[in-house]
């Protein structure tokens, strides 16, 4: 294990982190291997009203926790509606998409276990900080 933090706690301020995505939805990566975290990656994504992600599948577990707003997670067979304070665990291999089903911005905390999908997020356009 490589300790990139020098044994210190790392504090991340989302006001200062880059946003990866576009004007409709963008993620900020809070923790991954770049700061010495192993096995999981954590971030926050904001979806503007009426925004939705594309249908996708992951090879890792995806955990989402709703910070603000109303989300729908749509699979091939079901639609799950989540509101502030609710969480969902999406198993590997499940095709799904995320939708802001409310009229306000949707903010979700995401966790990937193990790490991996955050690398694709980093390749998206940087929309600002």
């Amino acid at each position: 294990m490589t300790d990139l933090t020098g044994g210190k706690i790392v504090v991340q301020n989302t006001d200062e982190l880059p946003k990866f995505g576009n004007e409709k939805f963008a993620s900020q990566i809070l923790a991954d291997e770049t700061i010495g975290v192993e096995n999981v990656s954590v971030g926050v994504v904001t979806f503007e009203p009426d925004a939705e992600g594309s249908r996708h599948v992951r090879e890792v577990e995806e955990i989402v926790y709703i910070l603000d707003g109303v989300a729908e997670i749509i699979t091939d067979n079901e639609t799950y509606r989540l509101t502030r304070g609710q969480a969902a665990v999406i198993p590997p291999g499940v095709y799904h998409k995320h939708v802001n089903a409310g009229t306000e911005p949707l903010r979700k905390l995401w966790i990937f276990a193990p790490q991996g999908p955050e690398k694709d997020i980093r390749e998206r356009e940087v929309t600002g900080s």
Side-chain angles (χ1 to χ4, degrees):
M1 178 168 109
T2 303
D3 182 0
L4 300 177
T5 68
K8 296 182 180 182
I9 293 174
V10 176
V11 176
Q12 298 280 47
N13 182 345
T14 56
D15 291 338
E16 299 170 359
L17 292 174
K19 295 177 184 175
F20 301 96
N22 58 47
E23 68 281 347
K24 287 289 193 177
F25 68 91
S27 282
Q28 294 175 288
I29 300 171
L30 303 177
D32 65 359
E33 75 280 354
T34 63
I35 63 165
V37 174
E38 295 184 10
N39 303 318
V40 300
S41 56
V42 180
V44 174
V45 62
T46 301
F47 281 71
E48 294 302 321
D50 298 322
E52 64 181 62
S54 60
R55 182 178 179 266
H56 62 281
V57 64
R58 303 219 186 271
E59 296 178 4
V60 303
E61 288 183 311
E62 180 178 353
I63 303 160
V64 295
Y65 176 79
I66 308 305
L67 298 168
D68 294 300
V70 180
E72 286 184 347
I73 301 172
I74 302 171
T75 70
D76 291 341
N77 301 316
E78 297 184 72
T79 297
Y80 301 86
R81 191 173 184 93
L82 291 89
T83 58
R84 187 174 144 184
Q86 292 185 303
V89 177
I90 304 166
V94 174
Y95 281 89
H96 63 283
K97 72 177 180 176
H98 301 272
V99 176
N100 180 344
T103 58
E104 301 294 324
L106 166 65
R107 290 184 62 242
K108 300 185 302 180
L109 181 78
W110 53 256
I111 301 168
F112 299 132
Q115 293 176 352
E118 73 285 351
K119 292 172 181 67
D120 293 334
I121 291 170
R122 284 190 188 284
E123 292 178 4
R124 295 178 185 159
E125 180 179 343
V126 177
T127 64
S129 54

